[in-house]
Amino acid sequence: MAVLLRIPKTSIKSFSSCISRNFSVTTLNSEIDLKVPSFLSQNSLPRRQETKDGNVQWVFLGCPGVGKGTYASRLSTFLGVPHIATGDLVREELNSSGPLASQLKETVNQGKLVSDEIIISLLSKRLEAGEVKGESGFILDGFPRTIRQAEILEGVTDIDLVVNLKLRKEALLAKCLGRRICVECGRNYNVACIDIKGDNGNPGIYMDPLPAPPQCVTKLIQRADDTEEVVKERLRIYNEMSQPVEEFYRSRGKLLEFDLPGGIPESWPKLLEALNLDHEDKCSAVA
């Protein structure tokens, strides 16, 4: 499937003005910086001529645990653009002594979704930091999550493509419950071996575990919110909220639906094919 591009708007609204019109931020601590990076508020964003020039502006959607971070990170390396995951931003804030840490801890442990105001605040700070480093383009993972967020993002910059990753519910649940994190290096692994037989017209799916290297095995932990009850509630809430966002981008001709056929070995080359990307010369970059 060809990647659809759209010529950026001739006049881009500033991120901060969009937030002030659409959100009440009075509940946020005054220390949170809502300043917008200049590359998102400039009057004219350059037209991206080719996918490989490092200036893609893509979004990855999908249920929690589907693998957005895995595939967005691989594409980030493949294309040379930053991978910005709102889930990581939330976890970094949770592990800090920042003003939102206690509020976020309660929300995450209950399996609830973090508010738009907080997500946009964290994303704004991350984009500002990226601008200082000279970053260009991005792959957003976990944002936008609501119509309000999608509308604000559209008012700020043009998104080239939205990839919606899909996976059978049984596989999703098993993946989430099998997820483990190394407390030392922060990398994600998975102890689940998923083998679901095909039925009722649905193809079977097999996914190998993602084992940790020897140095990480004794340091693995399970996230506090990766319990069956919390995971099911998280998936229910996501499914309720995701339909309008998917339709938002589908109506604009930007949504690419991609059903994961299995684990990374099966899914990665098929995803690159769906994105019209030649992976032959870059396999080593994402191995």
Side-chain angles (χ1 to χ4, degrees), residues 23 61 113-116 120 142-152 241-242 244-245 248-249:
F23 292 91
L61 301 179
L113 293 176
V114 180
S115 70
D116 290 350
I120 290 175
F143 183 95
R145 194 188 58 214
T146 66
I147 285 292
R148 295 170 76 198
Q149 292 179 356
E151 289 173 343
I152 287 178
M241 299 184 67
S242 66
V245 177
F248 180 89
Y249 287 113

PDB file of all heavy atoms in Angstrom, residues 23 61 113-116 120 142-152 241-242 244-245 248-249:
ATOM      1  N   PHE A  23      -8.394  23.172  26.091  1.00  0.00           N
ATOM      2  CA  PHE A  23      -8.187  22.514  27.363  1.00  0.00           C
ATOM      3  C   PHE A  23      -8.177  23.508  28.511  1.00  0.00           C
ATOM      4  O   PHE A  23      -7.741  24.639  28.375  1.00  0.00           O
ATOM      5  CB  PHE A  23      -6.841  21.775  27.378  1.00  0.00           C
ATOM      6  CG  PHE A  23      -6.798  20.608  26.455  1.00  0.00           C
ATOM      7  CD1 PHE A  23      -6.363  20.762  25.143  1.00  0.00           C
ATOM      8  CD2 PHE A  23      -7.218  19.372  26.877  1.00  0.00           C
ATOM      9  CE1 PHE A  23      -6.338  19.689  24.288  1.00  0.00           C
ATOM     10  CE2 PHE A  23      -7.191  18.285  26.022  1.00  0.00           C
ATOM     11  CZ  PHE A  23      -6.748  18.447  24.728  1.00  0.00           C
ATOM     12  N   LEU A  61      -1.166   3.784  16.093  1.00  0.00           N
ATOM     13  CA  LEU A  61      -2.292   3.498  16.964  1.00  0.00           C
ATOM     14  C   LEU A  61      -2.351   1.996  17.232  1.00  0.00           C
ATOM     15  O   LEU A  61      -1.760   1.203  16.510  1.00  0.00           O
ATOM     16  CB  LEU A  61      -3.603   3.936  16.313  1.00  0.00           C
ATOM     17  CG  LEU A  61      -3.768   5.411  15.938  1.00  0.00           C
ATOM     18  CD1 LEU A  61      -5.135   5.627  15.283  1.00  0.00           C
ATOM     19  CD2 LEU A  61      -3.610   6.307  17.163  1.00  0.00           C
ATOM     20  N   LEU A 113      -7.081   5.777  31.815  1.00  0.00           N
ATOM     21  CA  LEU A 113      -6.273   6.525  30.862  1.00  0.00           C
ATOM     22  C   LEU A 113      -5.894   7.881  31.444  1.00  0.00           C
ATOM     23  O   LEU A 113      -6.708   8.541  32.099  1.00  0.00           O
ATOM     24  CB  LEU A 113      -7.031   6.714  29.555  1.00  0.00           C
ATOM     25  CG  LEU A 113      -7.298   5.435  28.747  1.00  0.00           C
ATOM     26  CD1 LEU A 113      -8.131   5.752  27.521  1.00  0.00           C
ATOM     27  CD2 LEU A 113      -6.000   4.756  28.346  1.00  0.00           C
ATOM     28  N   VAL A 114      -4.671   8.283  31.199  1.00  0.00           N
ATOM     29  CA  VAL A 114      -4.192   9.579  31.672  1.00  0.00           C
ATOM     30  C   VAL A 114      -4.909  10.682  30.907  1.00  0.00           C
ATOM     31  O   VAL A 114      -5.196  10.555  29.717  1.00  0.00           O
ATOM     32  CB  VAL A 114      -2.661   9.679  31.473  1.00  0.00           C
ATOM     33  CG1 VAL A 114      -2.132  11.027  31.958  1.00  0.00           C
ATOM     34  CG2 VAL A 114      -1.958   8.535  32.193  1.00  0.00           C
ATOM     35  N   SER A 115      -5.209  11.781  31.578  1.00  0.00           N
ATOM     36  CA  SER A 115      -5.996  12.854  30.980  1.00  0.00           C
ATOM     37  C   SER A 115      -5.277  13.500  29.797  1.00  0.00           C
ATOM     38  O   SER A 115      -4.044  13.483  29.706  1.00  0.00           O
ATOM     39  CB  SER A 115      -6.300  13.935  32.026  1.00  0.00           C
ATOM     40  OG  SER A 115      -5.123  14.652  32.360  1.00  0.00           O
ATOM     41  N   ASP A 116      -6.071  14.079  28.885  1.00  0.00           N
ATOM     42  CA  ASP A 116      -5.518  14.781  27.727  1.00  0.00           C
ATOM     43  C   ASP A 116      -4.559  15.877  28.150  1.00  0.00           C
ATOM     44  O   ASP A 116      -3.505  16.070  27.539  1.00  0.00           O
ATOM     45  CB  ASP A 116      -6.651  15.416  26.903  1.00  0.00           C
ATOM     46  CG  ASP A 116      -7.498  14.383  26.184  1.00  0.00           C
ATOM     47  OD1 ASP A 116      -7.105  13.199  26.173  1.00  0.00           O
ATOM     48  OD2 ASP A 116      -8.543  14.756  25.630  1.00  0.00           O
ATOM     49  N   ILE A 120      -0.650  15.944  26.856  1.00  0.00           N
ATOM     50  CA  ILE A 120      -0.194  17.028  25.982  1.00  0.00           C
ATOM     51  C   ILE A 120       0.921  17.824  26.644  1.00  0.00           C
ATOM     52  O   ILE A 120       1.863  18.269  25.977  1.00  0.00           O
ATOM     53  CB  ILE A 120      -1.371  17.924  25.575  1.00  0.00           C
ATOM     54  CG1 ILE A 120      -2.284  17.140  24.619  1.00  0.00           C
ATOM     55  CG2 ILE A 120      -0.896  19.206  24.902  1.00  0.00           C
ATOM     56  CD1 ILE A 120      -3.552  17.854  24.232  1.00  0.00           C
ATOM     57  N   GLY A 142       1.101   6.171  20.698  1.00  0.00           N
ATOM     58  CA  GLY A 142       0.166   6.370  21.801  1.00  0.00           C
ATOM     59  C   GLY A 142      -0.489   7.736  21.816  1.00  0.00           C
ATOM     60  O   GLY A 142      -1.199   8.078  22.763  1.00  0.00           O
ATOM     61  N   PHE A 143      -0.286   8.517  20.798  1.00  0.00           N
ATOM     62  CA  PHE A 143      -0.882   9.855  20.683  1.00  0.00           C
ATOM     63  C   PHE A 143      -1.111  10.147  19.201  1.00  0.00           C
ATOM     64  O   PHE A 143      -0.232   9.872  18.385  1.00  0.00           O
ATOM     65  CB  PHE A 143       0.053  10.907  21.278  1.00  0.00           C
ATOM     66  CG  PHE A 143      -0.519  12.305  21.268  1.00  0.00           C
ATOM     67  CD1 PHE A 143      -1.171  12.798  22.374  1.00  0.00           C
ATOM     68  CD2 PHE A 143      -0.415  13.119  20.143  1.00  0.00           C
ATOM     69  CE1 PHE A 143      -1.700  14.087  22.361  1.00  0.00           C
ATOM     70  CE2 PHE A 143      -0.951  14.379  20.122  1.00  0.00           C
ATOM     71  CZ  PHE A 143      -1.590  14.865  21.240  1.00  0.00           C
ATOM     72  N   PRO A 144      -2.290  10.648  18.837  1.00  0.00           N
ATOM     73  CA  PRO A 144      -3.419  11.037  19.684  1.00  0.00           C
ATOM     74  C   PRO A 144      -4.267   9.842  20.086  1.00  0.00           C
ATOM     75  O   PRO A 144      -4.321   8.847  19.378  1.00  0.00           O
ATOM     76  CB  PRO A 144      -4.213  11.986  18.786  1.00  0.00           C
ATOM     77  CG  PRO A 144      -3.952  11.497  17.402  1.00  0.00           C
ATOM     78  CD  PRO A 144      -2.529  11.014  17.412  1.00  0.00           C
ATOM     79  N   ARG A 145      -4.926   9.978  21.210  1.00  0.00           N
ATOM     80  CA  ARG A 145      -5.730   8.903  21.772  1.00  0.00           C
ATOM     81  C   ARG A 145      -7.217   9.262  21.771  1.00  0.00           C
ATOM     82  O   ARG A 145      -8.068   8.410  21.956  1.00  0.00           O
ATOM     83  CB  ARG A 145      -5.253   8.657  23.206  1.00  0.00           C
ATOM     84  CG  ARG A 145      -5.714   7.399  23.869  1.00  0.00           C
ATOM     85  CD  ARG A 145      -5.295   7.444  25.329  1.00  0.00           C
ATOM     86  NE  ARG A 145      -5.844   8.603  26.007  1.00  0.00           N
ATOM     87  CZ  ARG A 145      -5.240   9.281  26.984  1.00  0.00           C
ATOM     88  NH1 ARG A 145      -4.053   8.920  27.377  1.00  0.00           N
ATOM     89  NH2 ARG A 145      -5.821  10.311  27.543  1.00  0.00           N
ATOM     90  N   THR A 146      -7.504  10.550  21.612  1.00  0.00           N
ATOM     91  CA  THR A 146      -8.883  11.028  21.588  1.00  0.00           C
ATOM     92  C   THR A 146      -9.075  11.979  20.407  1.00  0.00           C
ATOM     93  O   THR A 146      -8.103  12.471  19.824  1.00  0.00           O
ATOM     94  CB  THR A 146      -9.228  11.785  22.885  1.00  0.00           C
ATOM     95  OG1 THR A 146      -8.443  12.994  22.932  1.00  0.00           O
ATOM     96  CG2 THR A 146      -8.925  10.954  24.119  1.00  0.00           C
ATOM     97  N   ILE A 147     -10.338  12.229  20.068  1.00  0.00           N
ATOM     98  CA  ILE A 147     -10.642  13.171  18.991  1.00  0.00           C
ATOM     99  C   ILE A 147     -10.082  14.552  19.316  1.00  0.00           C
ATOM    100  O   ILE A 147      -9.542  15.242  18.449  1.00  0.00           O
ATOM    101  CB  ILE A 147     -12.165  13.262  18.761  1.00  0.00           C
ATOM    102  CG1 ILE A 147     -12.650  12.000  18.038  1.00  0.00           C
ATOM    103  CG2 ILE A 147     -12.525  14.483  17.931  1.00  0.00           C
ATOM    104  CD1 ILE A 147     -12.164  11.871  16.615  1.00  0.00           C
ATOM    105  N   ARG A 148     -10.190  14.968  20.552  1.00  0.00           N
ATOM    106  CA  ARG A 148      -9.669  16.289  20.942  1.00  0.00           C
ATOM    107  C   ARG A 148      -8.178  16.383  20.668  1.00  0.00           C
ATOM    108  O   ARG A 148      -7.669  17.381  20.158  1.00  0.00           O
ATOM    109  CB  ARG A 148      -9.953  16.554  22.422  1.00  0.00           C
ATOM    110  CG  ARG A 148     -11.418  16.671  22.764  1.00  0.00           C
ATOM    111  CD  ARG A 148     -11.606  16.674  24.257  1.00  0.00           C
ATOM    112  NE  ARG A 148     -11.240  17.950  24.862  1.00  0.00           N
ATOM    113  CZ  ARG A 148     -10.984  18.113  26.155  1.00  0.00           C
ATOM    114  NH1 ARG A 148     -11.006  17.074  26.966  1.00  0.00           N
ATOM    115  NH2 ARG A 148     -10.670  19.291  26.639  1.00  0.00           N
ATOM    116  N   GLN A 149      -7.445  15.313  21.021  1.00  0.00           N
ATOM    117  CA  GLN A 149      -6.009  15.298  20.767  1.00  0.00           C
ATOM    118  C   GLN A 149      -5.721  15.297  19.267  1.00  0.00           C
ATOM    119  O   GLN A 149      -4.809  15.987  18.806  1.00  0.00           O
ATOM    120  CB  GLN A 149      -5.379  14.073  21.424  1.00  0.00           C
ATOM    121  CG  GLN A 149      -5.377  14.099  22.934  1.00  0.00           C
ATOM    122  CD  GLN A 149      -4.768  12.843  23.536  1.00  0.00           C
ATOM    123  OE1 GLN A 149      -4.405  11.907  22.820  1.00  0.00           O
ATOM    124  NE2 GLN A 149      -4.661  12.818  24.854  1.00  0.00           N
ATOM    125  N   ALA A 150      -6.491  14.519  18.510  1.00  0.00           N
ATOM    126  CA  ALA A 150      -6.279  14.450  17.058  1.00  0.00           C
ATOM    127  C   ALA A 150      -6.519  15.805  16.409  1.00  0.00           C
ATOM    128  O   ALA A 150      -5.785  16.216  15.500  1.00  0.00           O
ATOM    129  CB  ALA A 150      -7.202  13.402  16.445  1.00  0.00           C
ATOM    130  N   GLU A 151      -7.541  16.516  16.859  1.00  0.00           N
ATOM    131  CA  GLU A 151      -7.851  17.822  16.289  1.00  0.00           C
ATOM    132  C   GLU A 151      -6.756  18.833  16.617  1.00  0.00           C
ATOM    133  O   GLU A 151      -6.387  19.651  15.764  1.00  0.00           O
ATOM    134  CB  GLU A 151      -9.200  18.307  16.816  1.00  0.00           C
ATOM    135  CG  GLU A 151     -10.376  17.525  16.247  1.00  0.00           C
ATOM    136  CD  GLU A 151     -11.692  17.888  16.896  1.00  0.00           C
ATOM    137  OE1 GLU A 151     -11.691  18.499  17.995  1.00  0.00           O
ATOM    138  OE2 GLU A 151     -12.743  17.563  16.314  1.00  0.00           O
ATOM    139  N   ILE A 152      -6.231  18.774  17.831  1.00  0.00           N
ATOM    140  CA  ILE A 152      -5.147  19.686  18.204  1.00  0.00           C
ATOM    141  C   ILE A 152      -3.895  19.376  17.396  1.00  0.00           C
ATOM    142  O   ILE A 152      -3.230  20.279  16.877  1.00  0.00           O
ATOM    143  CB  ILE A 152      -4.863  19.594  19.715  1.00  0.00           C
ATOM    144  CG1 ILE A 152      -5.997  20.270  20.482  1.00  0.00           C
ATOM    145  CG2 ILE A 152      -3.538  20.262  20.054  1.00  0.00           C
ATOM    146  CD1 ILE A 152      -5.843  20.196  21.973  1.00  0.00           C
ATOM    147  N   MET A 241     -12.773   4.225  23.039  1.00  0.00           N
ATOM    148  CA  MET A 241     -12.280   5.542  22.644  1.00  0.00           C
ATOM    149  C   MET A 241     -11.601   5.546  21.277  1.00  0.00           C
ATOM    150  O   MET A 241     -11.478   6.600  20.645  1.00  0.00           O
ATOM    151  CB  MET A 241     -11.310   6.073  23.706  1.00  0.00           C
ATOM    152  CG  MET A 241     -11.931   6.251  25.068  1.00  0.00           C
ATOM    153  SD  MET A 241     -10.780   6.980  26.256  1.00  0.00           S
ATOM    154  CE  MET A 241     -10.563   8.614  25.585  1.00  0.00           C
ATOM    155  N   SER A 242     -11.154   4.378  20.820  1.00  0.00           N
ATOM    156  CA  SER A 242     -10.331   4.348  19.605  1.00  0.00           C
ATOM    157  C   SER A 242     -11.142   4.500  18.324  1.00  0.00           C
ATOM    158  O   SER A 242     -10.623   5.021  17.327  1.00  0.00           O
ATOM    159  CB  SER A 242      -9.533   3.048  19.547  1.00  0.00           C
ATOM    160  OG  SER A 242     -10.402   1.929  19.386  1.00  0.00           O
ATOM    161  N   PRO A 244     -13.621   6.493  17.252  1.00  0.00           N
ATOM    162  CA  PRO A 244     -13.707   7.833  16.659  1.00  0.00           C
ATOM    163  C   PRO A 244     -12.371   8.329  16.102  1.00  0.00           C
ATOM    164  O   PRO A 244     -12.342   9.002  15.068  1.00  0.00           O
ATOM    165  CB  PRO A 244     -14.175   8.717  17.828  1.00  0.00           C
ATOM    166  CG  PRO A 244     -14.833   7.771  18.781  1.00  0.00           C
ATOM    167  CD  PRO A 244     -14.057   6.492  18.665  1.00  0.00           C
ATOM    168  N   VAL A 245     -11.268   7.999  16.776  1.00  0.00           N
ATOM    169  CA  VAL A 245      -9.948   8.445  16.309  1.00  0.00           C
ATOM    170  C   VAL A 245      -9.593   7.743  15.004  1.00  0.00           C
ATOM    171  O   VAL A 245      -9.079   8.359  14.062  1.00  0.00           O
ATOM    172  CB  VAL A 245      -8.867   8.183  17.378  1.00  0.00           C
ATOM    173  CG1 VAL A 245      -7.498   8.589  16.849  1.00  0.00           C
ATOM    174  CG2 VAL A 245      -9.185   8.947  18.646  1.00  0.00           C
ATOM    175  N   PHE A 248     -11.571   9.293  12.325  1.00  0.00           N
ATOM    176  CA  PHE A 248     -11.047  10.636  12.063  1.00  0.00           C
ATOM    177  C   PHE A 248      -9.980  10.576  10.969  1.00  0.00           C
ATOM    178  O   PHE A 248      -9.983  11.361  10.017  1.00  0.00           O
ATOM    179  CB  PHE A 248     -10.460  11.199  13.359  1.00  0.00           C
ATOM    180  CG  PHE A 248      -9.869  12.583  13.256  1.00  0.00           C
ATOM    181  CD1 PHE A 248     -10.644  13.710  13.453  1.00  0.00           C
ATOM    182  CD2 PHE A 248      -8.512  12.753  12.974  1.00  0.00           C
ATOM    183  CE1 PHE A 248     -10.093  14.985  13.368  1.00  0.00           C
ATOM    184  CE2 PHE A 248      -7.954  14.009  12.883  1.00  0.00           C
ATOM    185  CZ  PHE A 248      -8.750  15.132  13.080  1.00  0.00           C
ATOM    186  N   TYR A 249      -9.054   9.625  11.105  1.00  0.00           N
ATOM    187  CA  TYR A 249      -7.974   9.509  10.125  1.00  0.00           C
ATOM    188  C   TYR A 249      -8.396   8.718   8.887  1.00  0.00           C
ATOM    189  O   TYR A 249      -7.895   8.975   7.795  1.00  0.00           O
ATOM    190  CB  TYR A 249      -6.743   8.880  10.779  1.00  0.00           C
ATOM    191  CG  TYR A 249      -6.046   9.828  11.727  1.00  0.00           C
ATOM    192  CD1 TYR A 249      -6.025   9.589  13.094  1.00  0.00           C
ATOM    193  CD2 TYR A 249      -5.425  10.980  11.253  1.00  0.00           C
ATOM    194  CE1 TYR A 249      -5.403  10.462  13.976  1.00  0.00           C
ATOM    195  CE2 TYR A 249      -4.800  11.868  12.115  1.00  0.00           C
ATOM    196  CZ  TYR A 249      -4.782  11.609  13.470  1.00  0.00           C
ATOM    197  OH  TYR A 249      -4.171  12.487  14.325  1.00  0.00           O
TER     198      TYR A 249
END
